[in-house]
Amino acid sequence: MNAKTVQKQIKRLVEEYRDRCLWFLREDYYPVTLEQQLRTLRHIERHGDREAFRRAAELRKWLSQNSKEPSAVS
């Protein structure tokens, strides 16, 4: 999976679960930054069904493993 594919899958997941899990966000909101993406995926995991949880967790795991952020231990 590459970054572009992950971005598309996050957008698709947001569209699919907007009414159920992200009702408090603007209708045109899509997460752009890593922090926004992780927060949005956590909302979907917390408030979605089992399939939403599985898909969001998979994407969140990929983002976490592939982030370029420095580790806390240097």
Side-chain angles (χ1 to χ4, degrees), residues 2-3 5-6 10 17 19 30-31 34 36 51 58-59 64 66:
N2 62 39
T5 301
V6 170
I10 290 172
Y17 287 95
D19 290 342
Y30 290 97
L34 177 62
Q36 291 171 345
E51 181 62 15
E58 180 181 321
L59 291 169
S64 296
N66 293 288

Side-chain angles (χ1 to χ4, degrees), residues 6-14 17 21-22 24-25 29 31 33-49 51-64:
V6 170
Q7 293 287 347
K8 287 179 182 180
Q9 289 184 8
I10 290 172
K11 184 176 181 180
R12 188 176 311 131
L13 199 61
V14 166
Y17 287 95
C21 306
L22 307 169
F24 52 90
L25 298 174
Y29 174 81
T33 67
L34 177 62
E35 181 181 334
Q36 291 171 345
Q37 292 169 341
L38 293 172
R39 186 178 332 120
T40 301
L41 292 170
R42 282 193 299 270
H43 283 302
I44 293 171
E45 284 179 88
R46 193 173 309 122
H47 301 291
D49 56 17
E51 181 62 15
F53 178 87
R54 186 192 64 74
R55 290 167 59 195
E58 180 181 321
L59 291 169
R60 197 167 51 78
K61 180 179 177 184
W62 191 92
L63 287 172
S64 296

